[in-house]
Amino acid sequence: QVQLVESGGGLVQAGDSLKLSCAASGRTLSQFVLGWFRQASGKERDFVAAISWNGGRTKYGDSAKGRFTISRDNAKNTVFLQMNSLKPEDTAVYYCAARRLAFGTTASLYDYWGQGTQVTVSS
């Protein structure tokens, strides 16, 4: 079993940066693919970014390309999402998720989820 806890969300202005963290407990994350998803009010949960177990492969959703960076520190059992040039449309609850081994960008493929952290970007 894996427990994931996100942190780092908050209220920022358009153009600001924010770094989200997701700390895991229960099991080491070294064999897990880690992903970030987000869900705006009244909308479906969307893929933001994913990173392979060793950090060698990353993939970003269209909204994140060029602005967000996913990274991980397996020694600290933590995954990060650096978000730059934030826009009001980035406002959402951000979730981290984990799945074993196979790389994926679909939410239904992930086995473990955090409780989410709210990011609000004002214009």
Side-chain angles (χ1 to χ4, degrees), residues 105-121:
T105 62
T106 305
S108 60
L109 297 176
Y110 284 75
D111 302 306
Y112 304 102
W113 291 85
Q115 83 290 347
T117 185
Q118 176 70 47
V119 172
T120 303
V121 184

Side-chain angles (χ1 to χ4, degrees), residues 38 63-69 82-87 90:
R38 69 185 187 186
S63 62
K65 289 178 182 176
R67 298 188 300 128
F68 295 0
T69 303
Q82 176 68 46
M83 303 186 295
N84 299 328
S85 302
L86 283 163
K87 305 174 183 179
D90 294 319

